[in-house]
Amino acid sequence: MVDLAVNDAVVTIDGQETLAQLMRLRVAQWGDRIAMREKAFGIWQDYRWRDFDHHARRIAGGLMALGLKRGDVVAVLSETNKEWVFADMGIHIAGGVCCGIYPTYTPGQLEYTLNDSAARFLFVENEEQLDKYLAVHTALPAVEKIFVFDWKGLRDFSDPRVEALSHLCDRGAQFVASHPDALEAAIDQGKSGDTAVLIYTSGTTGSPKGACVPHSYLLYQMGAAPDPLPIGPDDEMLTYLPLCHAAERMISLCMSLGHGQKLNFAESSETVFQNIQELSPTVLFAVPRIWEKFYSRVTTLMSEATWAGRAGYRVALRIGEKRAECLIAGRRPTAGLAAAYWLADRFVLRNLKQLLGLDRARLLLSGAAPISADLIRWYMALGLPIAEVYGQTETGIVTAIRKGTFRPGTVGHPLPGVEIRLSAQGEIMVRTPGGFSGYLNLPDATAQALVDGWISTGDVGEIDGDGALRITDRLKDIIITAGGKNITPSQIENQLKFSPYISDATVIGDQRKYLTCLVMIDRDNVEHFAQTRSIPFTDYRSLCARPEVVALIEAEIARTNAHFSPVEQIKQFRLINVMLSPEDEELTPTMKLKRGFVARKYAALIDQMY
């Protein structure tokens, strides 16, 4: 049971003000329980809370031996893994501030972040990430030491500032042995309002900003469970998104520390779906792109199924949709519908959930970007309700769907203690006990975002009669056509992404006479479409150029247009014929298209449509 206390100055969990203090308590309570798992040579290895504490304290001691002072920044550049988590907690125990850096960052982006944060020390995952630092090291005089998690490939490498993580841990063990009270004293000095982490915003417009996140912010997020986020020690969760992203940190690291669910680290970004299928987690947080991929996999599977299989799926889905309609309306399904759904689940839907690895899931969460209401209804029809949560780096999670309610298209009600209001322009304003304290080195930006305790989100929304919040778009993304019509492009884009053949889309039309669209196809499903119809292609570019593929996307856009008024319909479109990944400038690390950058880079393609 978590005891959350909030007052004007302090947020505590079970009487503890900081992550390090709460970690010390959890190790005393849960020392022999499994905290996390990671694969080694194909076998899942257990790490208990006492193991977690052992590794974190050695790292903390090593940093203190090197002179880390309270409030100093330490950066972590790595994919999600146990060492990331050990380093993070070690930094907190020593009194430092953890600055996570996206592993997809280029050397130039790394240079900007390290200089802006004035990081003294840097953890990197492996040789590949170390090379990014080495490419710009002359521009990083403040970085004193670099610690490498995986030393493979670096046997003959020598640099006085670079060493293996094991060397730091050995130094830490010696420091703890000679200073037995130092770590406890450092832990005791921490306060709720101290900055715990720096989280750099994704930078869809301009350079990323470093949001200063205090311990109170993270402890408040833990207090969001178990209601409306029912997470407990019996839960299993797959952790795969970058831990430097606010949402993954809150739902994985914070909820684990607060409520004890087991973290399982994905082997890599390429094995996420395989790992989900293997583990069948009980809790899964995902961005909309992941939920869209699950839907696409089922669509492809059904296209390959026998006639009987497709017919069974259609019948089962119709039954599931009727049940979902009842639940959304707040009605109890009739006995006949409940029986029909039991049969549909027993013979069809359960098999699909097992195939996806969602058969044990009891809490599915979506966040970090808007998701199609139609997609949520599809999951409900399968018996997999997704709870949408809303928040930002600056606010933390501030709304969630209430347990037992189903409101596709809304992001639920404010969490306890959170206030939400709309400005005259419809912008969502948030006041929360768990807000950020400002942007590092940017007093003017802080003053604009944080006024009298209210945080300006930049999002436009509506509050319905029941008090549930609906996000309509980003304020800066609203399109005003040449005819003066205000259009929220995200609603159109979400409808487009419900298509199994469309991975992403950007609607264009500001100060234009009609709407157009740039489309990224879903490579796997479109390739399958082409192969089953013997349509020749050699690579992604040639696939996008095939007239049959263009006609396929045209039909999907026509389907989407039917949901909107004539002025909101897409008149022309073009396919982006380059396969994008988070390493590309068009995408943020969380796989969101940078609308402004895309509009500039593909200006010639856009002009063709006008």
Side-chain angles (χ1 to χ4, degrees):
M1 179 67 180
V2 168
D3 178 22
L4 174 70
V6 181
N7 59 42
D8 291 339
V10 178
V11 177
T12 63
I13 290 281
D14 291 343
Q16 311 304 307
E17 289 190 41
T18 68
L19 299 181
Q21 291 169 12
L22 186 57
M23 176 69 179
R24 181 171 58 186
L25 177 64
R26 292 304 186 232
V27 173
Q29 295 172 326
W30 303 339
D32 289 331
R33 279 173 33 186
I34 295 171
M36 61 191 76
R37 293 191 183 99
E38 187 176 77
K39 265 192 174 180
F41 304 107
I43 299 173
W44 290 99
Q45 305 291 328
D46 296 342
Y47 296 87
R48 300 180 184 277
W49 283 92
R50 63 169 180 267
D51 302 323
F52 182 3
D53 183 61
H54 171 73
H55 290 290
R57 283 174 175 264
R58 293 174 72 200
I59 289 172
L63 292 172
M64 294 178 71
L66 290 170
L68 182 78
K69 300 294 190 295
R70 178 163 298 278
D72 285 347
V73 175
V74 183
V76 182
L77 174 64
S78 171
E79 297 283 354
T80 296
N81 52 41
K82 67 181 186 302
E83 287 83 8
W84 205 115
V85 180
F86 296 160
D88 175 68
M89 186 53 68
I91 294 164
H92 294 310
I93 290 173
V97 176
C98 181
C99 175
I101 300 177
Y102 286 104
T104 54
Y105 266 14
T106 64
Q109 291 171 310
L110 174 64
E111 176 189 342
Y112 170 84
T113 306
L114 291 175
N115 279 329
D116 188 67
S117 64
R120 285 188 62 188
F121 303 105
L122 170 66
F123 291 89
V124 299
E125 180 181 7
N126 50 25
E127 182 181 12
E128 177 188 356
Q129 301 296 355
L130 177 62
D131 283 342
K132 295 178 183 179
Y133 161 77
L134 294 174
V136 292
H137 75 280
T138 56
L140 298 170
V143 179
E144 300 173 21
K145 280 280 189 181
I146 299 87
F147 312 108
V148 184
F149 295 160
D150 183 356
W151 196 254
K152 285 198 299 287
L154 295 169
R155 179 181 300 175
D156 299 324
F157 177 81
S158 178
D159 185 309
R161 290 203 289 179
V162 181
E163 63 182 50
L165 177 66
S166 59
H167 294 173
L168 176 69
C169 291
D170 291 342
R171 185 185 293 113
Q174 294 171 7
F175 177 85
V176 171
S178 59
H179 301 77
D181 300 324
L183 295 191
E184 298 306 322
I187 293 171
D188 290 337
Q189 289 174 25
K191 300 298 181 186
S192 179
D194 294 346
T195 299
V197 296
L198 276 176
I199 300 178
Y200 276 80
T201 60
S202 55
T204 53
T205 57
S207 298
K209 299 188 288 288
C212 298
V213 172
H215 289 275
S216 56
Y217 171 123
L218 300 172
L219 294 177
Y220 176 78
Q221 293 300 310
M222 299 178 201
D227 187 13
L229 303 176
I231 298 174
D234 295 329
D235 282 312
E236 297 266 359
M237 184 172 186
L238 183 73
T239 302
Y240 61 95
L241 292 171
L243 286 170
C244 46
H245 188 258
E248 187 65 77
R249 173 179 280 277
M250 287 183 282
I251 293 174
S252 288
L253 300 190
C254 290
M255 292 304 174
S256 175
L257 189 59
H259 304 278
Q261 90 270 21
K262 302 176 188 69
L263 301 182
N264 297 273
F265 297 110
E267 295 171 84
S268 72
S269 57
E270 287 77 29
T271 65
V272 169
F273 292 103
Q274 176 186 331
N275 292 149
I276 292 173
Q277 187 177 34
E278 180 180 359
L279 288 167
S280 293
T282 61
V283 176
L284 182 63
F285 169 74
V287 295
R289 183 69 62 86
I290 297 294
W291 299 121
E292 291 156 6
K293 282 288 187 182
F294 277 127
Y295 170 71
S296 295
R297 292 183 71 187
V298 172
T299 301
T300 300
L301 181 68
M302 288 301 106
S303 71
E304 297 173 339
T306 63
W307 175 88
R310 291 195 300 271
Y313 170 71
R314 286 194 297 268
V315 171
L317 194 63
R318 279 198 294 269
I319 293 169
E321 287 169 345
K322 290 180 181 179
R323 175 178 176 271
E325 288 171 7
C326 289
L327 295 175
I328 292 169
R331 301 193 310 269
R332 187 187 185 95
T334 65
L337 180 56
Y341 177 76
W342 184 88
L343 291 171
D345 184 61
R346 175 69 177 80
F347 293 104
V348 179
L349 301 180
R350 187 181 304 177
N351 294 331
L352 287 176
K353 288 182 277 192
Q354 288 176 341
L355 180 73
L356 298 175
L358 301 177
D359 50 303
R360 293 201 306 147
R362 59 175 200 81
L363 179 61
L364 303 176
L365 300 169
S366 181
I371 187 172
S372 164
D374 285 344
L375 188 60
I376 289 182
R377 288 188 176 92
W378 179 81
Y379 276 98
M380 283 194 69
L382 294 188
L384 295 169
I386 294 176
E388 217 179 335
V389 295
Y390 169 70
Q392 295 182 336
T393 299
E394 295 81 355
T395 65
I397 297 171
V398 292
T399 73
I401 298 292
R402 288 175 180 164
K403 191 162 54 178
T405 63
F406 307 94
R407 305 291 295 275
T410 79
V411 292
H413 295 78
L415 299 181
V418 172
E419 300 173 72
I420 292 178
R421 72 182 187 192
L422 302 180
S423 73
Q425 294 77 34
E427 182 183 3
I428 300 166
M429 311 291 290
V430 172
R431 184 155 62 186
T432 169
F436 83 136
S437 16
Y439 296 116
L440 184 68
N441 306 323
L442 296 170
D444 292 342
T446 299
Q448 290 177 1
L450 192 56
V451 181
D452 296 328
W454 289 90
I455 300 171
S456 302
T457 67
D459 288 328
V460 178
E462 302 167 351
I463 299 175
D464 67 17
D466 188 42
L469 180 65
R470 184 186 307 275
I471 311 298
T472 53
D473 218 319
R474 292 288 291 167
L475 186 62
K476 63 181 176 58
D477 288 342
I478 291 178
I479 290 172
I480 304 177
T481 67
K485 174 68 176 177
N486 282 24
I487 293 171
T488 53
S490 69
Q491 295 182 8
I492 304 169
E493 291 162 358
N494 287 339
Q495 194 67 41
L496 284 168
K497 289 187 285 185
F498 184 57
S499 164
Y501 302 113
I502 295 177
S503 175
D504 212 337
T506 298
V507 173
I508 310 293
D510 197 45
Q511 303 302 314
R512 307 271 194 170
K513 55 188 177 182
Y514 54 82
L515 299 185
T516 60
C517 189
L518 295 176
V519 174
M520 285 172 52
I521 62 172
D522 184 292
R523 180 173 186 169
D524 293 339
N525 283 345
V526 174
E527 281 187 353
H528 181 266
F529 168 86
Q531 290 163 353
T532 55
R533 289 160 180 80
S534 300
I535 299 170
F537 65 95
T538 56
D539 55 17
Y540 187 81
R541 186 182 298 272
S542 67
L543 180 66
C544 291
R546 292 298 309 181
E548 299 91 341
V549 170
V550 174
L552 172 69
I553 302 304
E554 185 174 26
E556 294 300 298
I557 289 177
R559 177 189 59 78
T560 296
N561 280 341
H563 294 269
F564 296 96
S565 66
V567 72
E568 297 171 303
Q569 293 180 359
I570 296 166
K571 308 301 182 187
Q572 296 278 341
F573 72 96
R574 294 291 186 274
L575 302 184
I576 296 176
N577 60 8
V578 178
M579 187 70 184
L580 300 178
S581 71
E583 286 82 2
D584 293 295
E585 292 183 288
E586 290 93 325
L587 294 178
T588 70
T590 50
M591 298 297 288
K592 290 182 281 191
L593 277 169
K594 298 178 182 177
R595 189 181 298 275
F597 185 89
V598 167
R600 292 191 300 273
K601 181 168 183 177
Y602 297 97
L605 199 59
I606 292 169
D607 288 342
Q608 290 177 12
M609 297 186 282
Y610 293 97

